[in-house]
Amino acid sequence: MTDRKNRPDMDPQNLPEPPPGAKNGKMKAAARASQTAMDTPLDLTMGSGGETQQRDGTGVMTTDHGVPISDNQNSLKAGPRGPALLEDFVLREKIFHFDHERIPERIVHARGSGAHGTFTVTRAIPELTRAALFQKEGNSCDTFTRFSTVAGSKGSKDTPRDVRGFATKFYTEEGNWDLVGNNFAPFFIQDGLKFPDLVHAVKPEADRMFPQAASAHDTFWDFVGLMPETMHTVMWLMSDRALPRSFRMMEGFGVHTFRLVNAQGDASFVKFHWKPRLGMQSLLWDEAVKISGADPDFNRRDLWEAIDRGDFPEYDLGIQVFDQDFAEAQFYDVLDATKLIPEEEVPIQIIGTLQLNRNPDNFFAETEQVAFLPQNVPPGIDFTDDPLLQGRLFSYLDTQKSRLGTANFFQIPINAPRCPFANMQRDGMMQTLIHKGRANYEPNSLDKAGEDQGPRPSEQGFQTIRRMDQSEDANQKLRVRAESFRDHFSHARLFYRSQTRVEQDHIVSAFTFELSKVDLPHVRLAVLAQLRNVDETMAARVAEGLALDLPPRATPASEPVDMPASDALSIMKNAPETLEGRKVGILMDDDSSASEVEALTAAIEDAGGVAVTIAPRRGMGDGQLDGTPSVTVDAIALILTEAAAHKLCQHKPALDFVSDAFAHCKAIGHSSGAQPLLDKVGVVPDAGVVALKALPAAAVRRYHDREAVIWAAHP
């Protein structure tokens, strides 16, 4: 980056004098800085798509977490024209942060006006799409349409020079279809990654919060001047289309190239168009300016009053349909949202009519809370790899959570489908549905127990169509699992067979315990059938522990492979024999030998361990017996007189202290006087039950050989 501090042309003494009128110091400084900025060439590089790559700035751009960003123009895609990747943390973080910048007003399209209506198919197109709505002429569905300005706030005016949103929610029998477009055919940018920058630039400037609902200011035009991809839409913005006379008299466009897919799986490219029955009409700029002062609600009022008096606005829905050959023959990319396809080259076919015939009953409940999602498409309509569309598919869903405060926003009446809907989504803020039963996951087999198993995917459901450009076959979008993922058991077998016998016993015990808590018999058998693919002996031992006969082995998708055992997978094979970091609990009483306690404590600490003295009464040691059971330490010592040991034989916490330590395979050091307590709980002498002096050496490990005796009844 250029060091501006050492440049001669940045020396204040060398700057030209400011123009007349710049009389105070601040004005002089501003004038000189402005002159310097104009004289300094911009450091711009054009990317392969003609996008602006600007490298000169005040520091390195990073993510919110400080990771440097190499490209702020393009999202990460699977190939130059491929779909955006979820891996792109720069895109996700940027869009995520942008979506949550304001609550609850929409960040864009905040000022809106809506109306209920009906859509009727005037021409069936089953040859193009399997969407149920378009299978028969005369099919119809309810709709809700929202018109809006883009840049202004919710309380701004209706008639600025601006893009207008034209979004329609079709309540079809196959779920909601949201056609979320504008009254401009192209859009300003080519990649969803740039949407936050575009909106930041056109919104009121950050330091002063004006101008409102206007593009005529520095930051917007600075952005335009550096982003040549905006120029097509800027031409529309400067035209009369940015000043519609009425929502009833403006066209609408789906903007993006989508796909139609028929029942045979054949796909076509499609662009959607709304044509107003009243034709188009615009205001003059002088009219728009004066209307904004006389009636800021001019378009909103016009729409309401027209519907109220029975002059229902109507729009024809048209489509431009073309194939891959046409797409490849164009000098531009049909997936570029800054482009359009001339109607003279691909005529618009009218397939239906929208009539707006009912005003909202409540503005907030309907117009303000309606949530449009470009991802809402019925089977038979699909997406393309348009990078702007790909960004919107993420952004709209995310922003509704921010605006409406809950993932259950789809249950708000204006957003709820008019057809039956069912899934495994549960709970969340403002949950209004009462789901019955246990089926909140899939797959499940609860029907075998007479319970409702819930909904399942259908082969007739939405399926993403393969790319139409077969030359990019390696990047096809497929909802499939790679065959290389078929082996589900080889590594499970490797893990089990790499454990010590004791660790394998623990695994068998764990399976037996878990499955003993399962009330559905067929579920226990299904798991046992799978376990046979891991290890037959293990499965048989678990079945014995459950008092069940082994079911037939489940057929694996791929036969397991016997892999060499890996000692690194075993805890016990790698456990160090050390006292470092371990605790030894020393149980003592009033009559315990202080010298023995001190000697053992010193020996434990010399070996790197921690000695914890424990007594029936709290003031005598570090811990009180009732509240410091042996499960809190790694080994125990009993420094007791015979009388004290007999007394503790009547104290349940003392009995548990010793019996648990023995059962948990911990080393036990003891004075000769502690023998009555050992005998009371059935401690059997072994390598881990030692005299006090031998305890530091014995406490470096556990003695799992005891398990064969203690848990002898277990398989």
Side-chain angles (χ1 to χ4, degrees):
M1 187 161 47
T2 304
D3 185 356
R4 294 179 177 246
K5 293 182 179 179
N6 298 321
R7 284 174 47 183
D9 60 335
M10 295 302 292
D11 187 339
Q13 301 300 320
N14 296 330
L15 292 176
E17 285 296 318
K23 295 181 179 179
N24 59 47
K26 290 185 178 180
M27 292 182 68
K28 288 182 180 180
R32 291 182 179 181
S34 177
Q35 183 63 48
T36 300
M38 288 189 291
D39 293 341
T40 303
L42 291 172
D43 182 11
L44 301 178
T45 302
M46 306 306 289
S48 58
E51 77 276 16
T52 300
Q53 294 284 358
Q54 192 171 24
R55 301 299 183 192
D56 190 15
T58 53
V60 175
M61 181 178 287
T62 72
T63 67
D64 289 348
H65 301 276
V67 179
I69 293 172
S70 62
D71 188 335
N72 190 41
Q73 305 298 323
N74 301 295
S75 55
L76 186 68
K77 296 179 280 291
R81 298 178 63 238
L85 300 178
L86 189 61
E87 175 185 333
D88 190 356
F89 61 90
V90 177
L91 169 67
R92 286 188 287 111
E93 180 189 87
K94 187 173 181 179
I95 295 293
F96 179 84
H97 192 284
F98 172 74
D99 286 346
H100 296 275
E101 283 186 353
R102 297 184 182 90
I103 298 174
E105 180 181 284
R106 286 171 171 86
I107 296 174
V108 288
H109 297 275
R111 180 170 181 82
S113 305
H116 296 271
T118 304
F119 177 78
T120 304
V121 174
T122 57
R123 176 193 162 192
I125 50 171
E127 73 281 6
L128 296 175
T129 178
R130 68 185 182 100
L133 179 63
F134 294 108
Q135 297 308 296
K136 181 180 178 182
E137 181 180 331
N139 281 354
S140 65
C141 67
D142 293 337
T143 64
F144 187 84
T145 297
R146 186 176 185 271
F147 304 103
S148 56
T149 56
V150 172
S153 67
K154 188 167 61 174
S156 61
K157 59 189 179 182
D158 272 353
T159 56
R161 181 178 294 279
D162 198 359
V163 185
R164 300 304 192 280
F166 193 138
T168 299
K169 186 181 293 289
F170 300 76
Y171 301 99
T172 83
E173 65 182 81
E174 296 178 299
N176 292 351
W177 173 31
D178 292 352
L179 183 53
V180 192
N182 292 326
N183 71 326
F184 287 12
F187 198 65
F188 293 93
I189 52 175
Q190 297 173 321
D191 193 304
L193 186 71
K194 300 308 298 174
F195 192 66
D197 297 301
L198 166 67
V199 176
H200 287 168
V202 77
K203 282 284 189 175
E205 297 187 2
D207 58 348
R208 62 205 70 183
M209 273 297 110
F210 64 82
Q212 173 66 239
S215 55
H217 58 98
D218 288 350
T219 57
F220 175 71
W221 288 101
D222 180 41
F223 184 80
V224 168
L226 298 174
M227 295 285 290
E229 68 197 63
T230 64
M231 195 50 60
H232 182 197
T233 307
V234 166
M235 296 299 296
W236 284 61
L237 183 63
M238 294 301 103
S239 77
D240 291 343
R241 284 184 181 258
L243 305 170
R245 158 65 180 83
S246 166
F247 295 137
R248 300 176 293 123
M249 303 169 191
M250 71 178 191
E251 290 185 332
F253 302 87
V255 179
H256 306 286
T257 299
F258 290 87
R259 294 190 289 187
L260 296 178
V261 186
N262 65 19
Q264 292 73 45
D266 301 323
S268 306
F269 287 123
V270 63
K271 281 185 172 288
F272 295 103
H273 297 255
W274 290 113
K275 296 288 187 180
R277 288 279 182 93
L278 293 177
M280 286 192 294
Q281 185 175 335
S282 295
L283 300 170
L284 298 177
W285 173 241
D286 187 61
E287 280 184 294
V289 171
K290 292 176 178 175
I291 288 172
S292 68
D295 185 2
D297 305 306
F298 181 72
N299 290 141
R300 177 177 292 177
R301 190 186 312 278
D302 174 84
L303 178 65
W304 181 280
E305 291 179 348
I307 295 174
D308 197 46
R309 66 175 178 262
D311 291 337
F312 301 140
E314 292 185 333
Y315 308 81
D316 288 326
L317 178 63
I319 55 174
Q320 284 180 299
V321 181
F322 53 98
D323 58 17
Q324 183 65 36
D325 290 340
F326 175 88
E328 292 178 350
Q330 307 312 304
F331 70 91
Y332 54 89
D333 197 318
V334 298
L335 304 187
D336 180 352
T338 69
K339 307 299 190 294
L340 58 77
I341 297 176
E343 295 181 27
E344 292 77 9
E345 296 184 22
V346 180
I348 293 176
Q349 308 172 47
I350 301 301
I351 59 173
T353 298
L354 170 68
Q355 181 186 82
L356 304 182
N357 49 34
R358 182 166 65 89
N359 283 313
D361 294 315
N362 182 280
F363 182 89
F364 176 80
E366 298 170 289
T367 305
E368 189 62 23
Q369 287 198 129
V370 66
F372 294 98
L373 304 171
Q375 72 185 46
N376 284 353
V377 293
I381 299 176
D382 202 352
F383 313 112
T384 62
D385 296 335
D386 172 350
L388 178 62
L389 174 59
Q390 293 285 323
R392 293 180 74 197
L393 295 178
F394 167 78
S395 178
Y396 278 64
L397 177 62
D398 183 57
T399 199
Q400 303 307 340
K401 166 62 177 67
S402 177
R403 290 194 58 250
L404 300 174
T406 172
N408 292 317
F409 68 86
F410 66 93
Q411 296 177 23
I412 298 172
I414 193 64
N415 296 318
R418 307 286 171 85
C419 63
F421 65 96
N423 52 46
M424 301 300 185
Q425 313 287 25
R426 294 293 186 272
D427 305 337
M429 291 177 59
M430 301 175 66
Q431 174 61 256
T432 64
L433 304 178
I434 300 176
H435 300 99
K436 299 180 180 180
R438 294 192 285 177
N440 62 352
Y441 63 97
E442 184 275 332
N444 69 61
S445 60
L446 297 176
D447 59 316
K448 292 186 177 181
E451 299 182 36
D452 182 5
Q453 65 177 346
R456 291 293 183 272
S458 166
E459 292 182 356
Q460 302 305 312
F462 178 87
Q463 297 183 31
T464 298
I465 192 68
R466 292 170 64 90
R467 282 183 199 275
M468 294 168 63
D469 179 2
Q470 296 300 320
S471 64
E472 298 183 45
D473 190 69
N475 291 325
Q476 290 288 357
K477 290 190 290 186
L478 304 172
R479 199 179 294 274
V480 298
R481 189 78 57 87
E483 289 191 13
S484 56
F485 283 60
R486 290 171 61 87
D487 184 355
H488 302 144
F489 296 106
S490 294
H491 284 75
R493 178 177 294 181
L494 164 67
F495 180 82
Y496 180 75
R497 295 183 178 178
S498 297
Q499 308 302 305
T500 64
R501 173 55 192 247
V502 170
E503 289 171 308
Q504 290 179 348
D505 290 345
H506 293 172
I507 292 172
V508 169
S509 296
F511 271 116
T512 304
F513 172 80
E514 295 282 330
L515 293 176
S516 72
K517 298 295 184 180
V518 174
D519 293 327
L520 302 178
H522 75 274
V523 172
R524 295 196 294 268
L525 293 173
V527 175
L528 288 171
Q530 298 288 1
L531 290 181
R532 295 190 66 176
N533 287 310
V534 179
D535 188 90
E536 287 283 1
T537 301
M538 176 187 68
R541 293 180 65 194
V542 174
E544 182 181 353
L546 296 171
L548 294 174
D549 294 330
L550 267 180
R553 169 177 174 260
T555 303
S558 179
E559 284 295 331
V561 175
D562 289 327
M563 303 171 67
S566 172
D567 288 346
L569 297 175
S570 166
I571 293 176
M572 292 186 181
K573 291 178 183 178
N574 295 281
E577 293 194 354
T578 178
L579 201 56
E580 290 188 12
R582 274 70 168 172
K583 290 183 179 180
V584 178
I586 303 174
L587 179 61
M588 61 184 191
D589 202 352
D590 293 342
D591 298 330
S592 297
S593 169
S595 61
E596 286 185 316
V597 172
E598 292 172 359
L600 181 59
T601 298
I604 291 169
E605 292 176 347
D606 288 344
V610 176
V612 180
T613 55
I614 302 168
R617 291 181 293 158
R618 175 66 176 88
M620 296 177 57
D622 300 317
Q624 194 262 344
L625 177 58
D626 291 16
T628 315
S630 61
V631 293
T632 64
V633 296
D634 300 286
I636 66 169
L638 308 176
I639 304 180
L640 301 169
T641 64
E642 187 172 344
H646 278 296
K647 183 178 179 181
L648 289 176
C649 283
Q650 309 305 314
H651 189 53
K652 184 64 164 57
L655 299 176
D656 291 342
F657 187 87
V658 179
S659 63
D660 282 349
F662 185 71
H664 298 155
C665 307
K666 295 176 181 178
I668 300 175
H670 63 93
S671 62
S672 59
Q675 192 62 47
L677 186 56
L678 297 174
D679 294 341
K680 178 70 174 179
V681 298
V683 171
V684 178
D686 62 19
V689 181
V690 298
L692 291 176
K693 290 184 179 180
L695 181 61
V700 299
R701 55 179 288 256
R702 295 204 188 198
Y703 296 85
H704 291 284
D705 292 344
R706 294 176 193 166
E707 294 187 48
V709 176
I710 297 171
W711 309 105
H714 195 282

